[in-house]
Amino acid sequence: MDIHHHIAQRLRELRSARGYSLDALAERSGVSRSNISLIERGESSPTAAVLDKLAIGLGVALASFFDESADGSAAHEGAAAPSPHIRAADQPRWQDPASGYVRRRLSPPAPSPLQLVEVVFPPGQRVALDSAVPGAEIHQQVWLLEGRMELTVGNTLWPLAAGDCLAMQLNQPIVFHNPGATPARYLVALATVAPFTQLAPRSQLPARVAATTPPTARRKP
């Protein structure tokens, strides 16, 4: 499936799963109703900033738009289970229309709390994301393979050279900037510690789980 139609399908799935109308999602995300409708019909190619706003309005990570299905499982009953293997040629690629950065999902479609993404970021470009995912604790690490990057996490600027790795939590704004004269290439690893659905009270959890389950982040690219 074309990546733009895949994003359109995922947006429809996520909105439907939450019972949001177009107007409701427009109010929650700050993206106009007409723009959301165009994206859902595959007639508009959203930028990373627009996808980020929609993700926050839906209460999911931006990466959810590139998942296989709304719940990470097979699309319908009787379908084959998602494969734990994916060939390099089949890894979906998406290019941000605004900055030109290219995102390639490396992870297979099988459900996993860990996701790997490769990004090629053009020189001189900057992308600012809110990245605050309500009700989820999502951790991200960026390992720079080639070039230079500057990541501003909250109010802290982190210059990265090839080989450097930066860990962060998706609970605050993040600005990605390539200050160099050549493209930067980096690996992103994302791990969801707490599920998007509300956790049971700790008193109702088995003792072993209650002792090891971290608190859910309430507010934090």
Side-chain angles (χ1 to χ4, degrees), residues 5-16 58 63-72:
H5 286 90
H6 179 82
I7 292 173
Q9 177 180 308
R10 291 292 293 119
L11 176 55
R12 292 193 301 269
E13 289 177 348
L14 292 165
R15 182 171 65 81
S16 176
L58 290 164
S64 298
F65 291 114
F66 304 93
D67 288 345
E68 291 301 306
S69 65
D71 59 3

Side-chain angles (χ1 to χ4, degrees), residues 126-202:
R126 182 187 304 266
V127 173
L129 303 177
D130 189 317
S131 299
V133 184
E137 187 173 329
I138 302 177
H139 292 258
Q140 174 173 287
Q141 294 191 16
V142 174
W143 179 28
L144 188 61
L145 302 174
E146 300 173 3
R148 296 169 55 202
M149 286 293 294
E150 291 180 346
L151 271 61
T152 303
V153 182
N155 295 319
T156 304
L157 173 64
W158 298 95
L160 300 182
D164 292 354
C165 188
L166 178 66
M168 68 202 76
Q169 188 174 334
L170 300 190
N171 60 1
Q172 56 192 316
I174 302 174
V175 178
F176 297 78
H177 174 229
N178 180 353
T182 60
R185 185 170 68 92
Y186 55 88
L187 176 72
V188 180
L190 299 104
T192 302
V193 176
F196 291 117
T197 54
Q198 185 174 359
L199 294 174
R202 293 175 69 85

Side-chain angles (χ1 to χ4, degrees), residues 14-151:
L14 292 165
R15 182 171 65 81
S16 176
R18 283 149 184 77
Y20 295 160
S21 65
L22 288 171
D23 288 327
L25 181 54
E27 183 176 352
R28 293 177 63 91
S29 66
V31 179
S32 71
R33 183 188 190 280
S34 59
N35 197 5
I36 295 173
S37 179
L38 288 171
I39 296 170
E40 288 194 355
R41 297 200 304 268
E43 297 176 5
S44 175
S45 179
T47 65
V50 168
L51 285 180
D52 184 59
K53 291 180 180 180
L54 291 171
I56 293 170
L58 290 164
V60 301
L62 188 151
S64 298
F65 291 114
F66 304 93
D67 288 345
E68 291 301 306
S69 65
D71 59 3
S73 63
H76 57 274
E77 187 176 354
S83 174
H85 171 262
I86 186 169
R87 298 183 309 131
D90 296 330
Q91 294 166 348
R93 295 171 70 259
W94 174 77
Q95 185 169 23
D96 178 23
S99 66
Y101 91 76
V102 177
R103 178 193 196 279
R104 181 162 67 102
R105 174 174 169 153
L106 306 176
S107 297
S112 171
L114 176 67
Q115 184 176 129
L116 299 179
V117 174
E118 180 193 57
V119 173
V120 177
F121 208 97
Q125 293 298 315
R126 182 187 304 266
V127 173
L129 303 177
D130 189 317
S131 299
V133 184
E137 187 173 329
I138 302 177
H139 292 258
Q140 174 173 287
Q141 294 191 16
V142 174
W143 179 28
L144 188 61
L145 302 174
E146 300 173 3
R148 296 169 55 202
M149 286 293 294
E150 291 180 346
L151 271 61

